[in-house]
PDB file of all heavy atoms in Angstrom:
ATOM      1  N   VAL A   1     -86.029  36.145 -21.248  1.00 92.00           N
ATOM      2  CA  VAL A   1     -86.244  36.382 -22.584  1.00 92.00           C
ATOM      3  C   VAL A   1     -85.317  37.587 -22.825  1.00 92.00           C
ATOM      4  O   VAL A   1     -84.618  37.570 -24.041  1.00 92.00           O
ATOM      5  CB  VAL A   1     -87.614  36.705 -22.993  1.00 92.00           C
ATOM      6  CG1 VAL A   1     -87.790  37.218 -24.403  1.00 92.00           C
ATOM      7  CG2 VAL A   1     -88.535  35.480 -22.891  1.00 92.00           C
ATOM      8  N   LEU A   2     -85.376  38.649 -22.153  1.00 91.00           N
ATOM      9  CA  LEU A   2     -84.584  39.802 -22.356  1.00 91.00           C
ATOM     10  C   LEU A   2     -83.094  39.547 -22.352  1.00 91.00           C
ATOM     11  O   LEU A   2     -82.095  39.919 -23.301  1.00 91.00           O
ATOM     12  CB  LEU A   2     -84.850  40.908 -21.363  1.00 91.00           C
ATOM     13  CG  LEU A   2     -83.965  42.208 -21.483  1.00 91.00           C
ATOM     14  CD1 LEU A   2     -84.263  43.017 -22.689  1.00 91.00           C
ATOM     15  CD2 LEU A   2     -84.497  43.200 -20.330  1.00 91.00           C
ATOM     16  N   ASN A   3     -82.636  38.913 -21.362  1.00 92.00           N
ATOM     17  CA  ASN A   3     -81.178  38.389 -21.191  1.00 92.00           C
ATOM     18  C   ASN A   3     -80.667  37.546 -22.406  1.00 92.00           C
ATOM     19  O   ASN A   3     -79.579  37.753 -22.989  1.00 92.00           O
ATOM     20  CB  ASN A   3     -80.949  37.597 -19.965  1.00 92.00           C
ATOM     21  CG  ASN A   3     -81.128  38.638 -18.771  1.00 92.00           C
ATOM     22  OD1 ASN A   3     -80.937  39.780 -18.906  1.00 92.00           O
ATOM     23  ND2 ASN A   3     -81.329  38.086 -17.653  1.00 92.00           N
ATOM     24  N   LYS A   4     -81.424  36.542 -22.833  1.00 93.00           N
ATOM     25  CA  LYS A   4     -81.087  35.733 -23.863  1.00 93.00           C
ATOM     26  C   LYS A   4     -80.993  36.455 -25.136  1.00 93.00           C
ATOM     27  O   LYS A   4     -80.065  36.269 -26.023  1.00 93.00           O
ATOM     28  CB  LYS A   4     -82.086  34.616 -24.005  1.00 93.00           C
ATOM     29  CG  LYS A   4     -82.115  33.462 -22.861  1.00 93.00           C
ATOM     30  CD  LYS A   4     -83.204  32.474 -23.100  1.00 93.00           C
ATOM     31  CE  LYS A   4     -83.092  31.411 -21.811  1.00 93.00           C
ATOM     32  NZ  LYS A   4     -81.931  30.565 -21.904  1.00 93.00           N
ATOM     33  N   ILE A   5     -81.993  37.243 -25.325  1.00 92.00           N
ATOM     34  CA  ILE A   5     -81.870  38.153 -26.686  1.00 92.00           C
ATOM     35  C   ILE A   5     -80.727  39.110 -26.641  1.00 92.00           C
ATOM     36  O   ILE A   5     -79.988  39.208 -27.719  1.00 92.00           O
ATOM     37  CB  ILE A   5     -83.309  39.039 -26.675  1.00 92.00           C
ATOM     38  CG1 ILE A   5     -84.354  38.223 -27.096  1.00 92.00           C
ATOM     39  CG2 ILE A   5     -82.976  40.081 -27.940  1.00 92.00           C
ATOM     40  CD1 ILE A   5     -85.640  38.940 -26.988  1.00 92.00           C
ATOM     41  N   SER A   6     -80.368  39.766 -25.533  1.00 90.00           N
ATOM     42  CA  SER A   6     -79.146  40.595 -25.479  1.00 90.00           C
ATOM     43  C   SER A   6     -77.895  39.802 -25.613  1.00 90.00           C
ATOM     44  O   SER A   6     -76.992  40.222 -26.475  1.00 90.00           O
ATOM     45  CB  SER A   6     -79.163  41.216 -24.032  1.00 90.00           C
ATOM     46  OG  SER A   6     -80.247  42.052 -23.873  1.00 90.00           O
ATOM     47  N   VAL A   7     -77.723  38.546 -25.072  1.00 90.00           N
ATOM     48  CA  VAL A   7     -76.497  37.797 -25.324  1.00 90.00           C
ATOM     49  C   VAL A   7     -76.506  37.304 -26.710  1.00 90.00           C
ATOM     50  O   VAL A   7     -75.321  37.589 -27.311  1.00 90.00           O
ATOM     51  CB  VAL A   7     -76.523  36.547 -24.374  1.00 90.00           C
ATOM     52  CG1 VAL A   7     -75.459  35.540 -24.764  1.00 90.00           C
ATOM     53  CG2 VAL A   7     -76.361  37.003 -22.966  1.00 90.00           C
ATOM     54  N   ALA A   8     -77.531  36.898 -27.421  1.00 90.00           N
ATOM     55  CA  ALA A   8     -77.564  36.470 -28.722  1.00 90.00           C
ATOM     56  C   ALA A   8     -77.169  37.663 -29.666  1.00 90.00           C
ATOM     57  O   ALA A   8     -76.361  37.414 -30.608  1.00 90.00           O
ATOM     58  CB  ALA A   8     -78.826  35.904 -29.160  1.00 90.00           C
ATOM     59  N   ALA A   9     -77.763  38.847 -29.369  1.00 89.00           N
ATOM     60  CA  ALA A   9     -77.394  40.019 -30.214  1.00 89.00           C
ATOM     61  C   ALA A   9     -75.936  40.442 -30.220  1.00 89.00           C
ATOM     62  O   ALA A   9     -75.392  40.749 -31.217  1.00 89.00           O
ATOM     63  CB  ALA A   9     -78.274  41.198 -29.771  1.00 89.00           C
ATOM     64  N   GLN A  10     -75.374  40.287 -28.878  1.00 86.00           N
ATOM     65  CA  GLN A  10     -73.950  40.604 -28.949  1.00 86.00           C
ATOM     66  C   GLN A  10     -72.991  39.591 -29.519  1.00 86.00           C
ATOM     67  O   GLN A  10     -72.105  39.909 -30.175  1.00 86.00           O
ATOM     68  CB  GLN A  10     -73.643  40.665 -27.386  1.00 86.00           C
ATOM     69  CG  GLN A  10     -74.204  41.961 -26.714  1.00 86.00           C
ATOM     70  CD  GLN A  10     -73.985  41.885 -25.170  1.00 86.00           C
ATOM     71  OE1 GLN A  10     -73.370  41.040 -24.566  1.00 86.00           O
ATOM     72  NE2 GLN A  10     -74.740  42.799 -24.509  1.00 86.00           N
ATOM     73  N   ASN A  11     -73.335  38.263 -29.362  1.00 86.00           N
ATOM     74  CA  ASN A  11     -72.502  37.152 -29.890  1.00 86.00           C
ATOM     75  C   ASN A  11     -72.604  36.966 -31.290  1.00 86.00           C
ATOM     76  O   ASN A  11     -71.558  36.559 -31.955  1.00 86.00           O
ATOM     77  CB  ASN A  11     -72.728  35.989 -29.104  1.00 86.00           C
ATOM     78  CG  ASN A  11     -72.406  35.995 -27.678  1.00 86.00           C
ATOM     79  OD1 ASN A  11     -71.587  36.826 -27.193  1.00 86.00           O
ATOM     80  ND2 ASN A  11     -72.959  35.029 -26.877  1.00 86.00           N
ATOM     81  N   ALA A  12     -73.826  37.198 -31.882  1.00 84.00           N
ATOM     82  CA  ALA A  12     -73.979  37.020 -33.359  1.00 84.00           C
ATOM     83  C   ALA A  12     -74.038  38.203 -34.184  1.00 84.00           C
ATOM     84  O   ALA A  12     -74.287  38.191 -35.298  1.00 84.00           O
ATOM     85  CB  ALA A  12     -75.261  36.095 -33.517  1.00 84.00           C
ATOM     86  N   ALA A  13     -73.800  39.417 -33.597  1.00 81.00           N
ATOM     87  CA  ALA A  13     -73.743  40.710 -34.366  1.00 81.00           C
ATOM     88  C   ALA A  13     -75.191  40.873 -35.091  1.00 81.00           C
ATOM     89  O   ALA A  13     -75.261  41.227 -36.261  1.00 81.00           O
ATOM     90  CB  ALA A  13     -72.656  40.735 -35.276  1.00 81.00           C
ATOM     91  N   VAL A  14     -76.211  40.537 -34.353  1.00 88.00           N
ATOM     92  CA  VAL A  14     -77.587  40.624 -34.839  1.00 88.00           C
ATOM     93  C   VAL A  14     -78.241  41.633 -33.925  1.00 88.00           C
ATOM     94  O   VAL A  14     -78.005  41.820 -32.704  1.00 88.00           O
ATOM     95  CB  VAL A  14     -78.328  39.311 -34.801  1.00 88.00           C
ATOM     96  CG1 VAL A  14     -79.753  39.376 -35.277  1.00 88.00           C
ATOM     97  CG2 VAL A  14     -77.502  38.331 -35.748  1.00 88.00           C
ATOM     98  N   SER A  15     -79.262  42.370 -34.528  1.00 91.00           N
ATOM     99  CA  SER A  15     -79.909  43.396 -33.658  1.00 91.00           C
ATOM    100  C   SER A  15     -81.036  42.853 -32.849  1.00 91.00           C
ATOM    101  O   SER A  15     -81.652  41.716 -33.114  1.00 91.00           O
ATOM    102  CB  SER A  15     -80.539  44.530 -34.561  1.00 91.00           C
ATOM    103  OG  SER A  15     -81.713  43.988 -35.207  1.00 91.00           O
ATOM    104  N   ASP A  16     -81.177  43.422 -31.594  1.00 91.00           N
ATOM    105  CA  ASP A  16     -82.308  43.017 -30.588  1.00 91.00           C
ATOM    106  C   ASP A  16     -83.665  42.939 -31.417  1.00 91.00           C
ATOM    107  O   ASP A  16     -84.488  42.097 -31.185  1.00 91.00           O
ATOM    108  CB  ASP A  16     -82.241  43.821 -29.447  1.00 91.00           C
ATOM    109  CG  ASP A  16     -81.047  43.760 -28.707  1.00 91.00           C
ATOM    110  OD1 ASP A  16     -80.080  44.473 -29.108  1.00 91.00           O
ATOM    111  OD2 ASP A  16     -81.038  43.096 -27.625  1.00 91.00           O
ATOM    112  N   LYS A  17     -83.798  43.978 -32.252  1.00 91.00           N
ATOM    113  CA  LYS A  17     -85.070  44.217 -33.045  1.00 91.00           C
ATOM    114  C   LYS A  17     -85.351  43.109 -33.909  1.00 91.00           C
ATOM    115  O   LYS A  17     -86.506  42.459 -33.940  1.00 91.00           O
ATOM    116  CB  LYS A  17     -85.054  45.505 -33.837  1.00 91.00           C
ATOM    117  CG  LYS A  17     -86.269  45.698 -34.556  1.00 91.00           C
ATOM    118  CD  LYS A  17     -86.170  46.951 -35.500  1.00 91.00           C
ATOM    119  CE  LYS A  17     -87.518  47.227 -36.335  1.00 91.00           C
ATOM    120  NZ  LYS A  17     -87.426  48.485 -37.013  1.00 91.00           N
ATOM    121  N   ASP A  18     -84.377  42.569 -34.540  1.00 92.00           N
ATOM    122  CA  ASP A  18     -84.578  41.440 -35.539  1.00 92.00           C
ATOM    123  C   ASP A  18     -84.817  40.167 -34.761  1.00 92.00           C
ATOM    124  O   ASP A  18     -85.733  39.353 -35.251  1.00 92.00           O
ATOM    125  CB  ASP A  18     -83.300  41.198 -36.445  1.00 92.00           C
ATOM    126  CG  ASP A  18     -83.129  42.082 -37.479  1.00 92.00           C
ATOM    127  OD1 ASP A  18     -84.248  42.493 -38.122  1.00 92.00           O
ATOM    128  OD2 ASP A  18     -82.027  42.545 -37.876  1.00 92.00           O
ATOM    129  N   LEU A  19     -84.172  39.963 -33.601  1.00 93.00           N
ATOM    130  CA  LEU A  19     -84.477  38.756 -32.839  1.00 93.00           C
ATOM    131  C   LEU A  19     -85.936  38.779 -32.323  1.00 93.00           C
ATOM    132  O   LEU A  19     -86.609  37.729 -32.441  1.00 93.00           O
ATOM    133  CB  LEU A  19     -83.474  38.710 -31.686  1.00 93.00           C
ATOM    134  CG  LEU A  19     -82.055  38.390 -32.172  1.00 93.00           C
ATOM    135  CD1 LEU A  19     -81.095  38.511 -30.923  1.00 93.00           C
ATOM    136  CD2 LEU A  19     -81.954  36.981 -32.780  1.00 93.00           C
ATOM    137  N   ILE A  20     -86.326  39.783 -31.813  1.00 93.00           N
ATOM    138  CA  ILE A  20     -87.641  39.816 -31.223  1.00 93.00           C
ATOM    139  C   ILE A  20     -88.703  39.734 -32.228  1.00 93.00           C
ATOM    140  O   ILE A  20     -89.841  39.096 -32.054  1.00 93.00           O
ATOM    141  CB  ILE A  20     -87.866  41.132 -30.254  1.00 93.00           C
ATOM    142  CG1 ILE A  20     -89.079  40.874 -29.336  1.00 93.00           C
ATOM    143  CG2 ILE A  20     -88.066  42.358 -31.040  1.00 93.00           C
ATOM    144  CD1 ILE A  20     -88.829  39.945 -28.268  1.00 93.00           C
ATOM    145  N   GLU A  21     -88.437  40.383 -33.418  1.00 92.00           N
ATOM    146  CA  GLU A  21     -89.494  40.333 -34.563  1.00 92.00           C
ATOM    147  C   GLU A  21     -89.505  38.910 -35.020  1.00 92.00           C
ATOM    148  O   GLU A  21     -90.577  38.414 -35.438  1.00 92.00           O
ATOM    149  CB  GLU A  21     -88.975  41.219 -35.575  1.00 92.00           C
ATOM    150  CG  GLU A  21     -89.193  42.755 -35.330  1.00 92.00           C
ATOM    151  CD  GLU A  21     -90.615  43.269 -35.401  1.00 92.00           C
ATOM    152  OE1 GLU A  21     -91.504  42.350 -35.588  1.00 92.00           O
ATOM    153  OE2 GLU A  21     -90.826  44.403 -35.026  1.00 92.00           O
ATOM    154  N   GLY A  22     -88.451  38.216 -35.073  1.00 93.00           N
ATOM    155  CA  GLY A  22     -88.425  36.787 -35.638  1.00 93.00           C
ATOM    156  C   GLY A  22     -89.097  35.962 -34.582  1.00 93.00           C
ATOM    157  O   GLY A  22     -89.895  35.109 -35.010  1.00 93.00           O
ATOM    158  N   LEU A  23     -88.828  36.101 -33.323  1.00 93.00           N
ATOM    159  CA  LEU A  23     -89.481  35.450 -32.196  1.00 93.00           C
ATOM    160  C   LEU A  23     -91.116  35.620 -32.154  1.00 93.00           C
ATOM    161  O   LEU A  23     -91.681  34.583 -32.078  1.00 93.00           O
ATOM    162  CB  LEU A  23     -89.066  35.722 -30.841  1.00 93.00           C
ATOM    163  CG  LEU A  23     -87.497  35.142 -30.448  1.00 93.00           C
ATOM    164  CD1 LEU A  23     -87.065  35.889 -29.219  1.00 93.00           C
ATOM    165  CD2 LEU A  23     -87.522  33.782 -30.312  1.00 93.00           C
ATOM    166  N   LYS A  24     -91.491  36.751 -32.379  1.00 91.00           N
ATOM    167  CA  LYS A  24     -92.832  37.100 -32.487  1.00 91.00           C
ATOM    168  C   LYS A  24     -93.580  36.387 -33.517  1.00 91.00           C
ATOM    169  O   LYS A  24     -94.788  35.982 -33.281  1.00 91.00           O
ATOM    170  CB  LYS A  24     -93.009  38.624 -32.538  1.00 91.00           C
ATOM    171  CG  LYS A  24     -94.469  39.060 -32.433  1.00 91.00           C
ATOM    172  CD  LYS A  24     -94.526  40.507 -32.236  1.00 91.00           C
ATOM    173  CE  LYS A  24     -93.973  41.331 -33.467  1.00 91.00           C
ATOM    174  NZ  LYS A  24     -94.238  42.843 -33.309  1.00 91.00           N
ATOM    175  N   ARG A  25     -92.947  36.211 -34.600  1.00 92.00           N
ATOM    176  CA  ARG A  25     -93.664  35.737 -35.836  1.00 92.00           C
ATOM    177  C   ARG A  25     -93.656  34.178 -35.948  1.00 92.00           C
ATOM    178  O   ARG A  25     -94.356  33.579 -36.412  1.00 92.00           O
ATOM    179  CB  ARG A  25     -93.198  36.208 -37.054  1.00 92.00           C
ATOM    180  CG  ARG A  25     -93.633  37.676 -37.152  1.00 92.00           C
ATOM    181  CD  ARG A  25     -92.760  38.441 -38.301  1.00 92.00           C
ATOM    182  NE  ARG A  25     -93.472  39.801 -38.699  1.00 92.00           N
ATOM    183  CZ  ARG A  25     -93.358  40.751 -37.817  1.00 92.00           C
ATOM    184  NH1 ARG A  25     -92.620  40.709 -36.697  1.00 92.00           N
ATOM    185  NH2 ARG A  25     -93.975  41.956 -38.249  1.00 92.00           N
TER     186      ARG A  25
END
């Protein structure tokens, strides 16, 4: 989960916080 979030954040210029908050909900 951590690795996928980190890669997505780097490639899509999106923050890790937004990704984890979106996943959580």
Side-chain angles (χ1 to χ4, degrees):
V1 171
L2 179 62
N3 290 337
K4 289 174 183 290
I5 288 174
S6 297
V7 171
Q10 292 171 8
N11 291 341
V14 178
S15 72
D16 300 78
K17 179 180 179 181
D18 283 324
L19 291 174
I20 197 66
E21 291 287 0
L23 287 169
K24 182 168 67 174
R25 285 165 173 77

